[in-house]
Amino acid sequence: MPSQPPPAEVRLITVDEESAGQRLDNFLIRMLKGVPKSHIYRIIRSGEVRRNKGRVGADDRVAPGDLLRIPPIRLSERAEEKAANPAPAREFPLIHEDDAFLAIDKPAGVAVHGGSGVSFGVIEQIRQARPQARFLELVHRLDRETSGVLLIAKKKSALKALQDQFRERSTGKTYLALVKGAWPARLKVLDQPLHKFLLPDGERRVRVTGREDPDGMRSVTLVKVASRWQASPGEPAAISPDGFTLLEVTIKTGRTHQIRVHLASAGHPIVGDDKYGDFELNRQLQRSGLKRMFLHAWRLALVHPVAATPIELQTELPPELQVWLASLKPH
């Protein structure tokens, strides 16, 4: 792979066997060293990157023999300066680590990787903290404002085995989410297609759509009530008179913003959600101490990519959510 920024000319890259199954964005980030991730996402969205002469999406998987056309890329002085000043080294709390992969407890407010206006994320910081590591790649993603279990592969074989499990939906991913109102105990399955679209400013959004929508992706979310809570007297209680419900949410499909959109479409948005939530309630809750979205990747069950034995990873609610939840009254 090139160690210098790529030249300003069209490039044709053939995907090799070792890169099979990687997302296009991750593949290009590795190949185009020194190019800001925001620029990589921009040339993908604009259609300038072509696979076998056709358009391709950032989350599409590349296959051996795919021919990728990369447009001319010129780095500005600012971009070259950024390339010369990499992300700060940072380790994150470990949940598990062995020779195949590591699992960290990602804090809220940290992107998993750079791009779309973010200079760097978890993966860039861990790579800087572990310069001796020959291979470190994200297995999956979490939204920037979501905390919890995040997997990073240390071998290509482990990356493929783990991503295959995610793709085949054989992992068990359970989140903790606090939502507005009293969630109906009988509502346990949300099976609604989701449709991705862009706002005028280019920001990504998702909405529930009908089954007849050709661009709708089937999305299944399982919901279980964990506990119910009531706000203390005051503005939040007035805005959410039915209190709040803590849910255990298991996703059977891994769509963008799936949990956030499914819960909001059911009339019970996640508190603190700045994209799909109740914005007035969020403002009141900020005053009461809730400074983030209450969504936490709590438990992940999978098969070890090398030992082939079941493994379950879990991390409890972070302190800021535990403290704020304790300020409410059980209902």
Side-chain angles (χ1 to χ4, degrees), residues 215-246:
D215 295 320
M217 302 287 287
R218 191 185 179 201
S219 307
V220 180
T221 302
L222 307 182
V223 182
K224 176 185 176 183
V225 173
S227 56
R228 300 185 187 276
W229 301 83
Q230 193 70 44
S232 300
E235 291 173 309
I239 295 174
S240 186
D242 294 327
F244 307 94
T245 310
L246 184 66

Side-chain angles (χ1 to χ4, degrees), residues 37 48 109 172 181 195 205 207 211 225 257 260 291 311:
K37 293 178 181 63
E48 295 175 82
H195 179 105
R205 284 289 191 278
R207 60 177 171 81
R211 299 190 187 280
V225 173
H257 298 167
R260 301 165 69 175
K291 307 296 184 184
I311 181 171

Side-chain angles (χ1 to χ4, degrees), residues 42 45 69 224 234 272:
R42 187 160 58 249
R45 283 197 303 267
R69 178 197 181 277
K224 176 185 176 183

Side-chain angles (χ1 to χ4, degrees), residues 236-308:
I239 295 174
S240 186
D242 294 327
F244 307 94
T245 310
L246 184 66
L247 303 175
E248 295 179 16
V249 183
T250 301
I251 54 174
K252 293 299 184 180
T253 51
R255 309 301 182 200
T256 301
H257 298 167
Q258 176 176 327
I259 295 174
R260 301 165 69 175
V261 176
H262 267 175
L263 299 185
S265 71
H268 299 274
I270 298 174
V271 299
D273 187 342
D274 64 355
K275 286 184 170 65
Y276 308 99
D278 182 321
F279 305 127
E280 180 56 34
L281 175 61
N282 290 346
R283 281 193 287 271
Q284 302 295 348
L285 294 180
Q286 279 196 341
R287 295 191 190 118
S288 70
L290 183 66
K291 307 296 184 184
R292 53 160 289 194
M293 178 171 65
F294 203 120
L295 182 61
H296 178 69
W298 174 44
R299 185 182 292 157
L300 177 60
L302 55 115
V303 173
H304 193 280
V306 176

Side-chain angles (χ1 to χ4, degrees), residues 51-121:
R51 177 175 64 180
N52 305 327
K53 299 185 179 180
R55 290 183 72 111
V56 62
D59 56 356
D60 287 344
R61 306 280 174 174
V62 297
D66 278 350
L67 184 64
L68 301 177
R69 178 197 181 277
I70 314 300
I73 297 173
R74 289 183 174 85
L75 291 183
S76 65
E77 290 183 9
R78 181 170 174 267
E80 290 177 351
E81 182 182 346
K82 285 178 66 177
N85 294 280
R90 179 180 178 184
E91 289 279 7
F92 295 86
L94 275 174
I95 301 168
H96 170 91
E97 182 171 10
D98 57 32
D99 291 340
F101 75 99
L102 59 101
I104 67 162
D105 188 358
K106 185 190 89 67
V110 182
V112 294
H113 62 71
S116 299
V118 179
S119 298
F120 56 84

